[in-house]
Amino acid sequence: MPAAGVGSEPRSLEVRRAWPVMGTLLEVAAEHADPGLALAAVRSARAAVEAVDSLMSNYRPDSEISRLNASAGSARPTPISAWTADVLRAALAWGDTSGGAFDVTLGPVVDAWGFYRERGAVPEEAVLDSVARLAGQGGLAVGARAARLERAGMRVDLGAIAKGFAVDRALEVLARAGVVRAMVDLGGSVAVLGDPPAGVAWPIGIRDPRHAERVAAVLHLPPGSATATSGDYERFFEVDGVRYAHIIDPRTNRPARGVASVSVIAPSALEADVLSTTLYLLGPARGACLLADRHGTAALWFLDDGGGGPAVGADLPALVAGAAAAAFEPAGESPGDSGVGRAERNPRAYTRARCDTEG
Ligand code: AMP
Ligand code: MG
């Protein structure tokens, strides 16, 4: 099962390849009357993902993002490609839409918690205070082909959005090659093209966040849509029985608490990737407000306290016409016995009215 915990099942697709990339596993599967063409398309899809990684990686010193970070504080903007500019602009827009919860300039804070290193540790209060002053997307300016970070020490981290963008580019390559159907899975960021091999939606297994080997729910992904999962089991450390996971709440500069994982359906992999991170931070009640009226979106949370269950965006039942009233179904006997995620069919658990009263 891929690293982020979503098991895809495109087994009947004729051509299927997997490679390690972006610190996780990339799986691409495609079908075409000409298997040679399918294989060529699958390889081109991989090349697109590799290209995104070489532009946006935090781990490659020569990536555009690493060069932007290294130039932070300098008066001269760093030249960037159209792709990197697209992702940075999308990130800034989502920062606004999320009310600041999603923030790609949290790099110095993520770094202070040690999530880029082998072993994390709770930083000293004074350290947190000083790195927090380096965050804030007001200090990131993005033009058509250049970007600039205002202050030295600032640092962009596209860990919550670049994978989704890469999956979208890979699927675009497959579509242009004329494949009949395809699936791209980059560590749990999944997008599908064409009709599923069987039925009306693509079944995607959602991992039980507390039992890696168990599938807690099956999500029905409509053709032309994408999904992503953010979980506290992906990258974390524990001190005195407290789990510190890699998604930072910008209000506290500490790892967000309360959610074990959230899986999102959205019209693109970029949106699914951004939303999974943001909805992890916001939790079900505030998160559902963000989804309300957002076309083609849905989310399933598993709470850290063992609760949870589906909360689904406004128009999902129409999107998954005929598959199920809700996009999610409990897998097997009882997902509840794992201690997380009692999955009830409750497709409109949250409404705009509830959001209004909560502000
Ligand atoms: P994901 O697995 O897509 O949820 O992305 C998690 C990664 O996004 C983390 O490892 C950090 O690199 C980065 N990150 C952490 N907190 C935030 C945040 N509040 N907004 C944007 N990116 C974040
Ligand atoms: Mg994400």
Side-chain angles (χ1 to χ4, degrees):
M1 213 177 256
V6 180
S8 51
E9 304 185 25
R11 316 230 178 264
S12 59
L13 299 198
E14 278 151 25
V15 175
R16 181 188 181 84
R17 293 287 184 279
W19 304 272
V21 56
M22 290 176 105
T24 186
L25 189 71
L26 168 68
E27 291 184 76
V28 183
E31 199 176 306
H32 190 280
D34 176 353
L37 196 149
L39 181 57
V42 163
R43 288 188 173 136
S44 302
R46 173 201 188 187
V49 173
E50 302 267 12
V52 171
D53 186 45
S54 70
L55 295 173
M56 302 181 203
S57 169
N58 262 326
Y59 297 93
R60 298 177 180 228
D62 59 339
S63 76
E64 290 184 343
I65 292 302
S66 292
R67 275 190 266 134
L68 171 66
N69 290 341
S71 310
S74 121
R76 195 190 299 185
T78 302
I80 53 173
S81 60
W83 276 9
T84 301
D86 282 351
V87 173
L88 288 173
R89 272 196 300 263
L92 290 177
W94 276 105
D96 292 339
T97 302
S98 67
F102 186 82
D103 187 346
V104 291
T105 67
L106 282 171
V109 180
V110 176
D111 198 22
W113 283 90
F115 292 115
Y116 296 134
R117 295 188 295 268
E118 284 284 289
R119 187 185 303 203
V122 180
E124 303 274 341
E125 206 63 46
V127 171
L128 263 190
D129 282 349
S130 72
V131 292
R133 269 180 252 123
L134 295 168
Q137 65 173 44
L140 168 62
V142 184
R145 284 301 178 92
R148 189 175 158 262
L149 287 165
E150 208 166 70
R151 282 159 288 137
M154 287 188 75
R155 187 179 155 95
V156 165
D157 169 6
L158 298 181
I161 183 171
K163 275 196 293 177
F165 179 81
V167 168
D168 286 334
R169 297 291 73 75
L171 209 70
E172 203 170 68
V173 163
L174 291 159
R176 255 192 267 125
V179 302
V180 184
R181 55 173 68 96
M183 172 181 267
V184 177
D185 182 341
L186 179 56
S189 265
V190 182
V192 292
L193 174 80
D195 292 333
V200 296
W202 297 72
I204 308 284
I206 300 297
R207 165 180 161 175
D208 182 328
R210 291 292 172 266
H211 299 92
E213 70 293 350
R214 231 182 280 177
V215 174
V218 178
L219 179 162
H220 298 287
L221 199 56
S225 64
T227 180
T229 296
S230 289
D232 68 0
Y233 52 84
E234 294 175 283
R235 215 187 274 186
F236 68 95
F237 63 90
E238 275 178 352
V239 177
D240 297 333
V242 177
R243 180 181 295 227
Y244 297 93
H246 65 146
I247 296 174
I248 301 291
D249 186 336
R251 293 171 307 178
T252 61
N253 297 301
R254 293 168 183 284
R257 303 285 296 274
V259 172
S261 77
V262 58
S263 298
V264 180
I265 297 178
S268 72
L270 180 139
E271 289 166 279
D273 197 359
V274 169
L275 280 169
S276 71
T277 309
T278 306
L279 297 179
Y280 180 96
L281 274 164
L282 297 182
R286 287 195 300 144
C289 295
L290 190 63
L291 292 191
D293 303 329
R294 193 167 286 283
H295 179 75
T297 59
L300 171 67
W301 282 266
F302 292 96
L303 301 184
D304 193 26
D305 67 5
V312 176
D315 60 351
L316 198 83
L319 236 177
V320 195
F328 303 99
E329 65 181 29
E333 285 287 286
S334 162
D337 64 16
S338 69
V340 289
R342 256 174 311 101
E344 305 153 356
R345 282 178 184 271
N346 190 10
R348 289 177 189 268
Y350 301 93
T351 64
R352 174 61 83 188
R354 176 170 171 162
C355 294
D356 287 344
T357 59
E358 287 183 352

